[in-house]
Amino acid sequence: LDERWIGVSGRESTLNGHPIHTDGVVELSDAEMYSTTPDMFKFGDEFAKFDKMRKSVRTPHYGADCYAYALVASGFGADIVVEADL
């Protein structure tokens, strides 16, 4: 894919040498959320909190794994990553 993200504390993050930024979504109801799978959340309180979160966002998506973090950093249609066991 020839994609390289670099993030260093105190410096601007880049994708292939070009500056990147999140897309600036501030309302949870406007956010695109990613998670590997809802099955990673333990039944009970942990799952209940996850379920409340996924019902609060515009669209929950599953399966992107670590790539979702890159999408958030780049502002490419992902705003939140929610995981339970990474």
Side-chain angles (χ1 to χ4, degrees), residues 49-67:
K49 289 176 182 176
F50 170 75
D51 195 45
K52 184 176 179 180
M53 171 71 86
R54 73 176 171 175
K55 289 177 179 175
S56 299
V57 299
R58 176 183 289 162
T59 311
H61 305 273
Y62 303 103
D65 297 318
C66 65
Y67 197 69

Side-chain angles (χ1 to χ4, degrees), residues 3-78:
E3 297 173 323
R4 178 164 294 170
W5 285 264
I6 298 176
V8 177
S9 181
R11 293 187 175 178
E12 189 169 49
S13 297
T14 62
L15 168 57
N16 295 333
H18 301 283
I20 56 172
H21 305 280
T22 61
D23 67 8
V25 167
V26 295
E27 297 294 327
L28 195 55
S29 61
D30 294 329
E32 299 292 325
M33 183 195 85
Y34 278 76
S35 182
T36 300
T37 176
D39 295 333
M40 71 171 45
F41 297 90
K42 294 176 186 161
F43 183 74
D45 188 53
E46 188 174 279
F47 184 81
K49 289 176 182 176
F50 170 75
D51 195 45
K52 184 176 179 180
M53 171 71 86
R54 73 176 171 175
K55 289 177 179 175
S56 299
V57 299
R58 176 183 289 162
T59 311
H61 305 273
Y62 303 103
D65 297 318
C66 65
Y67 197 69
Y69 292 92
L71 296 175
V72 170
S74 305
F76 291 157

